[in-house]
Amino acid sequence: MFYRRIFGMNWMIWTCLVLSVAWLLGSMIALLVCPAPIPYFWNEMMDPTGGRYRYKFLNYYIGNAAGNVASDVLILLVPFPIVWKLKMRTTQKIMVSSVLLLGVL
């Protein structure tokens, strides 16, 4: 929302928004359909033999983390083309870009 206020709604912001929502929905669906049957997720402690998982949660967590990092990098890179099109000296562009890169920390 902050990017939209400053830079306006361009195609990069729309792309980031669509990818973020799609990733959210995909990861939620993948988490919900992992146990077979679905209530096994909540009943596993009471009846360990009442179901199974379709895949290992470690693989899910690693894949989900990788996708989240990729989307964070994409969102971080959104303002750079706009900053580099501004009519400023190159040193000022580098300084503004470095301030925006503080979001990495």
Side-chain angles (χ1 to χ4, degrees):
M1 298 303 279
F2 180 68
Y3 280 177
R4 186 182 65 120
R5 177 183 276 175
I6 292 177
F7 302 116
M9 268 323 244
N10 62 6
W11 66 272
M12 287 183 73
I13 295 175
W14 279 111
T15 304
C16 289
L17 181 67
V18 168
L19 287 176
S20 295
V21 170
W23 186 257
L24 169 73
L25 292 175
S27 63
M28 288 177 69
I29 290 170
L31 184 64
L32 287 175
V33 300
C34 178
I38 293 176
Y40 179 67
F41 187 80
W42 293 277
N43 300 331
E44 180 181 8
M45 294 298 171
M46 293 183 290
D47 185 18
T49 61
R52 65 176 181 84
Y53 288 107
R54 292 184 174 100
Y55 52 84
K56 294 181 181 180
F57 270 119
L58 179 63
N59 297 337
Y60 169 77
Y61 291 139
I62 291 173
N64 196 17
N68 286 332
V69 168
S71 68
D72 288 346
V73 168
L74 185 66
I75 291 170
L76 184 67
L77 295 177
V78 165
F80 288 102
I82 298 167
V83 168
W84 284 90
K85 288 180 186 175
L86 294 175
K87 293 182 181 179
M88 289 195 251
R89 289 180 284 149
T90 306
T91 55
Q92 288 178 324
K93 291 178 187 179
I94 291 171
M95 293 170 85
V96 170
S97 297
S98 63
V99 167
L100 290 172
L101 281 174
L102 287 175
V104 172
L105 300 176

